[in-house]
Amino acid sequence: MAHISVLVDEVIKYLSPRPGENFIDGTCGAAGHTEEILKEIGAEGKILCLDLDAESLRRAQVHFEKSEPEQLIFIEGNFADIEKIIQEGKIFPIDGILVDLGMSSEQLEESGRGFSFLKDEPLDMRYCLRQGLSAREIVNYWPQQEIEKILKEYGEERHAWRISQQIVSLRKAAPIRTTRELIGVVAQAVPAGYRYGRIHFATRTFQALRIAVNNELENLKKFLPQAVNILKSGGRLAVISFHSLEDRIVKNFFRQKARQEEIKILTKKPVLPTVEEIAKNPRSRSAKLRAIIKK
Ligand SMILES: C[S@@+](CC[C@H](N)C(=O)[O-])C[C@H]1O[C@@H](n2cnc3c(N)ncnc32)[C@H](O)[C@@H]1O
């Protein structure tokens, strides 16, 4: 399924791109937000399009080939290195930055990298295939306590201990190589009632592994102060998060910077998708947008 960008009108409202301005889309993905920002900045503005996933970036480039590519600068990289990357992109001043965290629908459904518990694929979960650590390595080589810790911290999985015990016990017989094999292990570990709960019983395990593989929370923590630094005075930053761990980091960071009078918070409460958007795009249901303006 093609990725449907979330909270597009709201992103445009808070980033308020104007003709001639420069933007960073730190998570270009299928470039839906990039495209909307591009419409607003006109021929004089620029967008630095960044993504960790070379395949996603290549597709975005192909999508824009026939329009005005000179306005778009595509760079494969991590938003956690944004201060360094803008030197490479030679884009100044920065009027606005967006990050739309997590993975795209293409990554979930078409990448073949084991992001989805509904598919049988190799356990990988890397956004950037040049990185060493994969989900397979965590599951097959990390000590039980480390696996339990990420399941607890990144998955908020209440059966973290049982699942980690089962992983370590079963991998002795044969390595856990695929999503289906991992789901089998989780199914054996959790109580029967949990297998028929509201959410799929492997949801939290998959979330935890994906966050650990891609170092997602650390990347976000490194990115936020850099983003505020590189924005010009009056520049805007918008962050879309998809779970409470990310949202908490963003909320606390914005509050701290607001207390230090470096920024003004534009969204007192996180902005959520409308009922209509959720009906059209169920993936948007957990999205939360927070935005600031630099003083
Ligand atoms: C939700 S998608 C973005 C979708 C995009 N906004 C759109 O409208 O099509 C998130 C993207 O962020 C990328 N990503 C995740 N972590 C990243 C990081 N630390 N640096 C750069 N890109 C990252 C993923 O590879 C993925 O393509």
Side-chain angles (χ1 to χ4, degrees), residues 10-29:
E10 294 82 351
V11 163
I12 296 299
K13 173 179 165 196
Y14 286 103
L15 284 182
S16 60
R18 290 181 282 263
E21 286 192 329
N22 295 328
F23 276 78
I24 297 175
D25 186 344
T27 52
C28 177

Side-chain angles (χ1 to χ4, degrees), residues 41 47 60 75 92 125 140 146 152 209 218 225 245 258 263 271:
I41 60 171
I47 309 179
I75 296 184
F92 299 104
M125 299 199 191
N140 288 295
E146 290 294 309
K152 255 195 209 146
L209 285 169
E218 288 311 310
L245 301 167
I263 62 162
V271 177

Side-chain angles (χ1 to χ4, degrees), residues 3-6 8 25-35 50-54 56-57 75-81 98-107 113 115 126-128 214-216 219-220 223 240 242 283:
H3 183 84
I4 306 173
S5 304
V6 305
V8 174
D25 186 344
T27 52
C28 177
H33 291 108
T34 305
E35 192 152 26
L50 186 69
D51 205 292
L52 264 179
D53 185 343
S56 297
L57 209 58
I75 296 184
E76 182 191 338
N78 191 328
F79 57 59
D81 303 320
L98 167 70
V99 284
D100 172 19
L101 301 170
M103 62 187 158
S104 67
S105 305
E106 276 91 1
Q107 285 169 325
R113 296 185 209 162
F115 288 110
R126 290 172 298 167
Y127 295 143
C128 171
N214 297 292
N215 212 11
E216 292 187 22
N219 285 340
L220 180 60
F223 160 78
I240 303 174
F242 287 87
R283 187 186 161 272

